[in-house]
Structures are given as structure tokens and as C-alpha cells.
């Protein structure tokens, strides 16, 4: 203690520095996470293999936040290849810089870390994160992402007695690198080796079908209680039927919006989709119960091993689950059952979501559509000697420089704003075509699936209204059957093979946003594009500036510097922040005078 005056001054500084954020961001608290992404040896299906773990866990830890929180996630790449983490369903308002896909971010190189920072503005719900590059999701790296309601906004059901997260997905014992090589060689991936539930293989419900020694998932519950199950299909390409023996699933939320609560015995969950179910433990616990996720829309007698089985264990259970699994849905004489289930999922228009006013009060059905996009999906084709998947005849390749970064530095030729709004009768090609979308537009997008497999489509940065879904070809006449009142708003929708799905999107979020097939193989083969939305006016709704720690690559590689010691950047484009900086400056001047 050389100078008591100086130390008093510094104490004063510290108090000020500590107080400033709480004064300035009091309404929007921060949550901090560190995600270390690395390889781990695990045997989900009884065969040792390399999986991708997060903080040495597989699946990764939950990111738990509340509406409007500022989320700071430092992602460490301990893999041997590039990495980007993406946040499926998180809208990143005006901030596609944090979206974690190649069209918006340069990759995080091996042995490097990069800090994402974004606000979960006006959102609630159940989502997940996953690595977006190089087929890595097929080896894991995923984890749940929850946005809780603020305390002042009630949820539209009694507070559940507990939250249970269930991540289901098809699984191969081959690594993501082996699967990638197969696709590069033009091969089909074939039938998955199984379905995993929370990173674990099936319970041995049948000694012929399930080998001995596989570790399975057990969900522990108490009799009489009601739990919120958040179920996510984080798999590669298989739609899964989810059901629990002797228990009903009350559907309550999907991808950020509360649904009309409905009672199901089983629900189809397509790749990339998330649901919350309320499940009451109302059985007599004469035994444990099976939790099942079985392959759907395939020949089930051939695909028997592609079934995930976990155990629901009551604290007063009298013994293990035995006997056959609960029956899968039998659609033999009713091909429209899965479609009817899908369109029965509707929004609770009187339930509050992130804001006190009911989320459904936005009368989308009476807004005029400004543009229609018909996006046609066909089976993969050979282009220039490689197998590629297309949207409207275009198989997308990512620009070397992310789109908005290229714009900012006036790098030409990285992409073209010429994605066609209708399928064109021309030779399929590999291109960098992006949708030139109009800010504040209200667009109708029709996904027409002429492929032979079920597909699901996801749009980053947005929720969309799923207003129609049917078999056959979409025509103008199909509009007469749209749901114009209580269509569910979500971010990932299924598109039946030989059918179509129509969605409405209100283009109020500036930036560049990925539109992609969630089926990992189709996405890898080029079934994606981006939508670029720029606000032509400087009215405070423009895009945020690139973060201070922005990574450079491609044509801007030379700007790249080692940022390992740079501070976490603060949110920008915020007048509140400028005000706070002014206050800080004023405080400093006062101190020094
Ligand atoms: C998330 O945080 C809330 C409140 O901070 C807590 O009640 C809840 O149990 C947490 N959920 C999980 C899954 O960690
Ligand atoms: C990497 O992590 C360090 C330590 O937490 C942090 O100070 C730094 O900002 C991070 N780097 C980037 C680019 O986010
Ligand atoms: C819809 O939300 C309201 C408001 O929270 C709730 O009272 C009601 O039970 C919900 N209705 C259905 C059918 O889910
Ligand atoms: C186990 O599965 C096989 C093949 O489907 C079936 O033939 C057999 O009956 C099953 N065993 C039991 C005990 O259910
Ligand atoms: C769900 O439906 C079943 C059968 O119709 C019924 O027994 C059960 O009480 C229902 N559950 C709820 C919560 O409505
Ligand atoms: C428990 O319920 C099952 C039917 O769900 C019934 O067969 C069984 O006898 C019941 N056991 C007891 C101990 O009540
Ligand atoms: C399913 O596969 C079995 C075994 O190969 C075959 O006998 C059956 O015809 C197939 N069913 C359908 C509907 O293709
Ligand atoms: C499906 O239902 C039909 C009609 O009830 C029946 O004939 C058929 O055997 C069932 N299939 C299976 C796999 O249970
Ligand atoms: C929608 O379009 C119709 C017909 O073009 C027009 O009469 C109506 O005023 C428009 N509505 C709105 C809200 O712009
Ligand atoms: C095939 O590759 C050649 C040379 O790279 C290129 O000029 C041509 O446009 C490509 N054709 C298609 C259909 O992409
Ligand atoms: C993109 O759309 C805007 C209007 O929304 C238009 O001004 C611009 O010229 C378009 N750009 C291209 C390359 O078509
Ligand atoms: C694909 O389109 C063709 C021509 O319109 C049609 O004949 C065929 O049935 C369609 N196939 C699927 C799976 O939709």
C-alpha cells in the first residue's frame, strides 16, 4: 500500500465499473457459458467410437436462459477441424453475425476459441445448439437451449414439477468423417445403426434385437407428478415416432410458441424439430415403462433395430419394464394420419409468450403477401461428376467470405442475389445464389417435395406460420385451404415426400439467414441457401455492426489476427450502450478533476 489516495481511487473505480453494467443493463441480465468441444470415446450402441462431446459430456450441457437475457458463450474448438456452433431457433435479432453458419461466420480453427454474444430477445421455448460444419452433428456436439418465461409472464399451464430433456436421433457407428467421405463418393448412407436417447443406446427389451451390455437412459420420476418433457430430434435424417408406454403426452409448446394443449399417445418428431409435452405420472408403477423413439415412414420390419428405447422409472416402481414395446402408429389404411396430426398442431392464440400480449394477436391471415417463393426439392443428381442436392435446381456452395462481411469490405463475386422464386426448367448447377428479400415484406414460401424421403426445412433468424401442408402438387387453389387463424409458428417444418408445406414469414429481422434442409445428408450435398434482408433506411432497425472479435477468412484472410486476448465485445447498435459510455466518461472526468 504505497499510496492510500491511489488505492482509494481504485476502489472507487472498481465500484463504478461493477455498478455500470448493472445500472445500464439491469433489465437484461447476462448469462455466461464456456463450451469446450472435443472428441470422446463412447459406445452409444455398444461399439466404441469417437463422438463429439461438449465439456466432456455427450450430449452437451444445457444453456439455460430467460427471455431478453444476454447470452455469452465462449466456444473452444478442441477438434482437429474447423468448427462453428449454431443455435437452432434462436432469432439473433439484427445480429446474424452470431448465427454460426458459414454464410455468416468464418470458422473457428482447431485449438482456437471464439466468444458468441447475442440476446434472446422476445423469445421463450425449447431449442438446441449443434455444430454446423462438416457433418459434425452426426457425431454429436449438440445440447439443449432453454429460454424460460420471465417471472411476470405466466406460462399457460400449471408449473410442472420438473423439466426433463430428451434428445433423440438416428445414429451410425461410423464417424462423421466416414459418413462425409461416403457422401463425397456419391454413396447413400444406408440404414442407420440405431436410435440414441440422450446419447445412449436401447434398453434390452428384446434379447434377439438388442445386444447385451448397452448402456441405456433411465428417467427418474415420482408418482403423481407432472413433468415438462422437452424432446428434440437432433438426428441425421430419420423421422421418429415418440411415445411412452401407458402414458399420454399433452403437447404444450413447439419451438418457441405455446400450442393448443392436446392429448396424444404418440407424436412424429422430424429431424430438427422440438416439442414440450406435459406428462403426468398417473400409473400404478407395477413396472417401469418404455420410452420409445422408432423410425417412421420406412419399412418398419426392416428397420426394427432403428429404435431408441429408454426407461421411465417411478421412485416406487415394482420392477423392470417387460413385454413388447407399445405399438407404433399403424397407417396401413390411413396414409393421412401423420399429415392430420401435423395440421392439428395449432397455436394457443390467447397464451402469452415472451410478451404480456398474447403471441397469436398478430393477425397474419389478413396481411397481404408481398412475394411468393416456390422451392422445389428433387432427389440428389449428378452435377459435373459429383452427387449434389438442389433447391430450385441450384446446389449451394458457401462463399469463401461470409456474405455481410464481404458486403462490408466490398469484396465482389462471393455470392449472387439471384435465387429464383420459382423452379426453373434448366440444368441443375452448383452456385452461390442467395434470395434478395425485401425488408418488411410478408412472404409466402412453398416447399414442394418431389424427393422420395421426408424432409424438414429450417429458417434461421425467424419463426414462420405453417399455414398449409398436403400431399400432391401445390397450386394457387391450395391457398383456399390455408389456416389463416391459428397456424403454429415455429422454425422447422416437415415436408412430406410427394407433398408440400406452405409457410408465411414476416421479414422484420435484418441480416443474412440460412434456409436449409435439416436432413444432414441433403444439407451437406447443397440443399440450402440464404436470405439477405437489408433495411434501406437508417431508422434504428438496421443490422448490428460486426462484433469486435469478428473472424476474417476468404478474401479477408489478411485482416485476421490472433484475438485470443481480446475482451468480449459489448452489444453494439444500442443507444443505451452509448449513453452508458457517456456516463462512464463523465464519471472518469469527475474523478480526475
Ligand atoms: C434454469 O434456470 C431456472 C431459473 O434460473 C431454474 O428454475 C431451472 O431449473 C433451470 N433449468 C435447467 C434445466 O437447468
Ligand atoms: C478466448 O477465451 C479467452 C479466455 O476466456 C477470452 O478472453 C477471449 O476473448 C476468447 N477469444 C475470443 C476470440 O472470443
Ligand atoms: C391457452 O392459453 C390460456 C392462457 O394461458 C390458457 O388458460 C388455456 O388453457 C390455453 N388453452 C389451451 C386449449 O391450451
Ligand atoms: C424379439 O424380436 C424378434 C424379431 O422381431 C421376434 O421374432 C421375437 O418374437 C421377439 N421376442 C420377444 C420376446 O418379443
Ligand atoms: C388423455 O386422453 C385419455 C384417453 O382419452 C384420458 O384418459 C386422459 O385423461 C387424457 N389426459 C388429459 C390430461 O386430458
Ligand atoms: C397396475 O395396472 C395394470 C394395468 O395398467 C394392471 O394390470 C395391474 O394389475 C395393476 N397393478 C396393481 C398392483 O394394481
Ligand atoms: C418390408 O420388408 C420386408 C422384408 O424385406 C418385405 O417382405 C415387405 O414386403 C416390405 N414391406 C413393404 C411395405 O415394402
Ligand atoms: C395395421 O392395421 C391393419 C388393420 O387393422 C391390420 O390388418 C394390420 O395387421 C396392422 N399392421 C400392423 C403392423 O400392426
Ligand atoms: C390487400 O390487397 C387487397 C387487394 O389487392 C387490397 O384491397 C387491400 O387493401 C390490401 N390490404 C392491405 C392491408 O394492404
Ligand atoms: C462444371 O464445371 C465447369 C468447370 O469447373 C464449370 O464451368 C461448369 O459451369 C460446371 N457445370 C455445372 C452444371 O455446374
Ligand atoms: C435487391 O432488392 C432491392 C429491393 O428490395 C433492389 O433495390 C436491389 O436492386 C436488388 N438487388 C439485386 C442484385 O437484384
Ligand atoms: C415428382 O414429380 C413428377 C412430375 O411432376 C411426378 O410424376 C412424381 O409423382 C413426383 N414424385 C414425387 C415423389 O413427388
Amino acid at each position: 500500500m504505497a499510496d492510500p489516495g491511489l488505492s482509494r481511487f481504485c476502489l472507487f473505480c472498481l465500484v463504478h465499473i461493477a455498478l455500470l453494467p448493472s445500472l445500464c443493463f439491469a433489465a437484461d441480465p447476462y448469462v455466461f457459458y464456456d463450451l469446450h468441444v472435443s472428441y470422446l470415446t463412447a459406445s452409444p450402441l455398444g461399439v466404441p467410437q469417437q463422438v463429439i462431446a461438449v465439456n466432456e459430456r455427450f450430449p452437451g450441457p444445457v444453456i439455460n436462459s430467460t427471455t431478453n437475457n444476454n447470452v455469452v458463450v465462449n466456444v473452444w474448438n478442441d477438434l482437429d477441424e474447423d468448427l462453428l456452433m449454431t443455435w437452432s431457433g434462436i432469432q439473433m435479432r439484427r445480429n446474424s453475425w452470431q448465427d454460426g453458419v458459414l454464410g455468416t461466420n468464418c470458422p473457428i480453427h482447431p485449438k482456437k476459441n471464439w466468444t458468441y454474444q447475442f440476446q434472446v430477445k422476445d423469445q421463450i421455448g425449447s431449442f438446441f445448439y449443434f455444430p454446423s460444419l462438416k457433418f459434425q452433428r452426426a457425431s454429436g456436439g449438440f445440447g439443449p437451449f432453454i429460454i424460460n418465461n420471465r417471472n411476470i409472464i405466466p406460462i399457460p399451464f400449471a408449473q410442472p414439477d420438473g423439466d426433463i430433456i430428451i434428445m433423440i436421433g438416428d445414429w451410425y457407428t461410423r464417424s462423421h468423417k466416414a459418413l462425409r467421405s461416403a457422401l463425397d463418393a456419391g454413396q447413400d448412407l444406408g440404414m442407420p445403426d440405431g436410435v440414441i436417447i440422450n446419447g445412449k443406446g436401447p434398453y434390452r427389451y428384446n434379447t434377439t434385437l438388442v445386444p447385451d451390455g448397452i448402456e441405456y437412459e433411465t428417467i427418474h420420476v415420482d408418482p403423481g407428478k407432472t413433468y415438462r418433457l422437452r424432446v428434440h430430434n437432433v438426428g441425421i435424417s430419420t423421422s421418429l415416432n415418440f411415445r411412452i408406454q401407458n402414458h399420454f403426452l399433452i403437447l404444450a409448446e413447439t419451438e418457441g410458441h405455446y400450442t393448443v394443449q392436446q392429448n396424444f399417445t404418440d407424436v412424429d418428431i422430424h429431424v430438427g424439430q422440438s416439442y414440450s409435452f406435459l406428462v403426468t405420472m398417473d400409473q400404478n408403477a407395477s413396472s417401469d415403462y418404455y420410452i420409445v423413439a422408432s423410425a417412421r415412414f420406412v419399412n418398419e420390419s426392416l428397420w426394427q433395430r432403428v429404435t431408441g428405447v429408454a426407461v421411465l422409472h417411478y421412485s416406487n416402481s415394482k420392477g423392470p419394464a417387460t413385454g413388447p414395446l407399445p405399438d407404433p402408429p399403424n397407417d396401413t389404411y390411413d396414409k393421412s394420419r401423420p399429415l392430420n396430426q401435423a395440421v392439428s398442431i395449432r397455436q394457443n392464440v390467447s397464451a402469452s409468450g415472451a410478451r404480456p400480449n398474447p403471441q397469436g394477436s398478430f393477425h397474419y391471415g389478413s396481411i397481404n403477401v408481398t412475394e411468393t417463393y416456390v422451392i422445389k426439392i428433387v432427389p440428389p443428381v449428378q452435377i459435373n461428376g459429383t452427387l449434389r442436392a438442389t433447391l430450385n435446381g441450384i446446389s449451394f456452395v458457401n462463399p469463401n467470405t461470409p456474405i455481410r462481411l464481404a458486403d462490408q469490405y466490398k469484396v465482389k463475386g462471393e455470392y449472387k442475389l439471384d435465387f429464383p422464386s420459382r423452379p426453373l426448367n434448366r440444368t441443375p448447377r452448383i452456385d452461390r445464389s442467395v434470395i434478395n428479400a425485401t425488408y418488411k415484406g410478408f412472404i409466402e414460401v412453398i416447399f414442394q417435395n418431389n424427393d422420395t424421403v421426408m424432409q424438414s426445412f429450417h429458417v434461421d433468424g425467424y419463426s414462420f406460420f405453417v399455414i398449409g401442408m398436403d400431399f400432391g402438387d401445390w397450386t394457387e387453389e391450395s391457398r383456399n385451404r390455408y389456416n389463416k387463424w391459428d397456424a403454429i409458428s415455429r422454425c422447422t417444418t416437415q415436408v412430406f415426400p410427394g407433398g408440400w408445406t406452405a409457410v408465411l414469414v414476416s421479414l422484420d429481422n435484418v441480416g443474412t439467414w440460412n434456409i436449409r434442409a435439416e436432413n444432414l445428408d441433403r444439407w451437406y450435398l447443397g440443399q440450402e441457401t440464404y436470405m439477405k434482408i437489408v433495411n434501406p433506411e437508417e431508422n434504428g432497425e438496421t443490422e448490428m455492426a460486426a462484433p469486435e472479435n469478428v473472424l476474417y477468412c476468404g478474401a479477408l484472410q489478411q485482416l485476421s489476427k490472433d484475438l485470443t486476448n481480446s475482451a468480449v465485445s459489448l452489444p453494439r447498435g444500442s443507444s443505451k450502450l452509448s449513453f452508458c459510455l457517456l456516463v462512464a466518461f463523465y464519471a472518469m472526468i469527475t474523478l480526475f478533476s
Side-chain angles (χ1 to χ4, degrees):
M1 280 297 144
D3 183 345
L6 183 66
S7 67
R8 202 161 48 237
F9 166 72
C10 283
L11 186 66
F12 192 72
C13 289
L14 278 175
V15 169
H16 264 257
I17 289 163
L19 273 180
L20 264 172
S22 59
L23 282 176
C24 295
F25 301 106
D28 300 330
Y30 280 71
V31 290
F32 296 90
Y33 286 90
D34 267 75
L35 300 184
H36 291 263
V37 183
S38 66
Y39 294 119
L40 181 79
T41 301
S43 311
L45 295 176
V47 182
Q49 66 181 119
Q50 197 182 57
V51 304
I52 297 177
V54 181
N55 298 353
E56 307 207 330
R57 289 163 62 181
F58 169 67
V62 62
I63 293 187
N64 190 11
S65 66
T66 299
T67 304
N68 293 349
N69 277 178
N70 290 293
V71 180
V72 181
V73 195
N74 196 351
V75 174
W76 301 75
N77 180 3
D78 293 326
L79 304 179
D80 57 356
E81 55 187 18
D82 286 351
L83 172 74
L84 276 178
M85 202 56 100
T86 192
W87 323 92
S88 184
I90 309 298
Q91 286 179 11
M92 310 280 163
R93 297 206 67 84
R94 306 189 291 118
N95 196 2
S96 58
W97 301 105
Q98 309 289 333
D99 200 32
V101 284
L102 275 183
T104 63
N105 291 73
C106 295
I108 308 167
H109 295 311
K111 309 300 160 219
K112 297 285 178 189
N113 68 297
W114 194 70
T115 307
Y116 290 75
Q117 178 166 332
F118 49 88
Q119 190 176 14
V120 289
K121 185 95 182 122
D122 293 335
Q123 277 196 278
I124 55 101
S126 314
F127 307 98
F128 61 93
Y129 59 84
F130 70 91
S132 70
L133 305 187
K134 297 179 176 288
F135 223 70
Q136 287 160 1
R137 193 175 82 210
S139 285
F142 42 73
F145 195 129
I146 294 176
I147 312 178
N148 299 292
N149 276 49
R150 285 179 290 155
N151 284 337
I152 53 162
I153 301 180
I155 50 175
F157 41 84
Q159 185 66 43
D161 295 303
D163 237 35
I164 294 169
I165 294 162
I166 299 187
M167 308 199 91
I168 58 179
D170 56 358
W171 189 261
Y172 291 88
T173 52
R174 280 176 283 169
S175 71
H176 68 283
K177 291 181 184 174
L179 295 169
R180 216 161 68 194
S181 314
L183 289 171
D184 290 340
Q187 292 160 12
D188 189 89
L189 298 183
M191 195 191 306
D193 299 303
V195 166
I196 59 171
I197 298 184
N198 287 349
K200 293 172 187 161
Y203 172 73
R204 201 167 187 216
Y205 68 99
N206 178 315
T207 51
T208 318
L209 289 171
V210 183
D212 198 8
I214 293 183
E215 196 192 344
Y216 59 89
E217 175 75 342
T218 302
I219 304 289
H220 295 269
V221 294
D222 290 325
K225 290 192 172 168
T226 297
Y227 296 85
R228 178 176 183 166
L229 267 63
R230 302 180 193 254
V231 189
H232 309 273
N233 185 339
V234 291
I236 298 153
S237 61
T238 309
S239 296
L240 297 172
N241 182 264
F242 182 79
R243 54 194 187 275
I244 304 179
Q245 189 178 29
N246 288 12
H247 290 75
F248 291 97
L249 307 168
I250 307 297
L251 174 65
E253 178 251 345
T254 179
E255 296 158 19
H257 290 85
Y258 294 114
T259 63
V260 169
Q261 285 160 37
Q262 273 196 84
N263 192 341
F264 291 101
T265 53
D266 65 275
V267 172
D268 291 333
I269 308 183
H270 304 277
V271 178
Q273 292 187 326
S274 301
Y275 287 101
S276 286
F277 301 112
L278 302 172
V279 182
T280 300
M281 302 306 149
D282 56 5
Q283 294 300 295
N284 64 13
S286 54
S287 70
D288 289 344
Y289 300 94
Y290 295 124
I291 298 173
V292 183
S294 62
R296 193 78 165 100
F297 313 114
V298 291
N299 184 333
E300 280 163 20
S301 64
L302 285 175
W303 282 58
Q304 262 181 328
R305 72 159 190 265
V306 190
T307 301
V309 184
V311 164
L312 182 72
H313 176 82
Y314 280 45
S315 51
N316 61 341
S317 170
K318 293 173 200 70
T322 52
L325 300 180
D327 284 337
N330 180 350
D331 301 329
T332 315
Y333 296 104
D334 185 9
K335 295 277 177 243
S336 57
R337 182 195 189 265
L339 185 83
N340 292 341
Q341 182 182 75
V343 298
S344 79
I345 296 171
R346 285 169 300 132
Q347 191 142 324
N348 181 341
V349 292
S350 62
S352 296
R355 296 208 196 107
N357 56 314
Q359 52 193 350
S361 63
F362 175 53
H363 295 298
Y364 69 90
S366 55
I367 300 173
N368 286 341
V369 164
T370 55
E371 189 130 24
T372 296
Y373 295 88
V374 178
I375 297 183
K376 187 165 181 177
I377 303 130
V378 297
V381 289
Q382 289 285 330
I383 303 179
N384 263 355
T386 59
L387 190 69
R388 301 290 305 181
T390 59
L391 296 177
N392 281 354
I394 294 169
S395 186
F396 192 79
V397 277
N398 274 289
N400 297 320
T401 316
I403 293 168
R404 293 302 279 157
L405 209 53
D407 289 350
Q408 190 173 319
Y409 286 89
K410 303 197 161 44
V411 178
K412 299 281 179 232
E414 288 287 347
Y415 68 96
K416 297 186 283 189
L417 284 174
D418 66 347
F419 188 88
S421 63
R422 292 287 188 284
L424 300 177
N425 201 0
R426 64 180 187 203
T427 317
R429 63 170 192 233
I430 297 172
D431 220 331
R432 294 169 170 181
S433 299
V434 167
I435 295 176
N436 185 19
T438 309
Y439 180 61
K440 296 279 184 188
F442 193 69
I443 63 169
E444 175 189 36
V445 182
I446 293 113
F447 296 102
Q448 179 76 53
N449 185 356
N450 205 232
D451 199 344
T452 54
V453 296
M454 178 69 82
Q455 293 247 17
S456 34
F457 276 84
H458 176 91
V459 180
D460 278 357
Y462 284 94
S463 244
F464 47 68
F465 294 96
V466 184
I467 50 167
M469 196 184 288
D470 208 347
F471 294 112
D473 284 340
W474 178 87
T475 63
E476 309 255 326
E477 186 271 327
S478 307
R479 290 191 176 120
N480 299 333
R481 286 173 287 133
Y482 281 177
N483 175 351
K484 294 201 162 181
W485 167 240
D486 60 357
I488 189 66
S489 188
R490 64 188 310 170
C491 59
T492 307
T493 185
Q494 67 270 52
V495 190
F496 283 80
W500 55 269
T501 297
V503 305
L504 293 177
V505 199
S506 175
L507 301 183
D508 57 358
N509 192 12
V510 288
T512 44
W513 304 106
N514 191 220
I515 300 179
R516 61 171 176 268
E518 273 298 312
N519 304 50
L520 215 45
D521 51 341
R522 294 297 195 268
W523 183 17
Y524 182 79
L525 295 177
Q527 227 170 55
E528 67 172 327
T529 184
Y530 285 81
M531 180 161 64
K532 175 172 152 181
I533 301 161
V534 179
N535 179 359
E537 287 163 37
E538 286 291 336
N539 60 358
E541 293 176 5
T542 47
E543 205 172 342
M544 288 193 191
E548 266 160 32
N549 63 353
V550 69
L551 296 174
Y552 295 97
C553 55
L556 301 171
Q557 183 68 53
Q558 76 283 359
L559 297 176
S560 178
K561 51 188 183 287
D562 190 24
L563 284 166
T564 43
N565 289 319
S566 81
V568 169
S569 72
L570 287 163
R572 263 113 54 85
S574 152
S575 52
K576 196 152 72 177
L577 177 64
S578 322
F579 168 76
C580 290
L581 289 177
L582 264 180
V583 172
F585 186 55
Y586 179 77
M588 288 302 179
I589 290 187
T590 319
L591 271 173
F592 279 103
S593 62

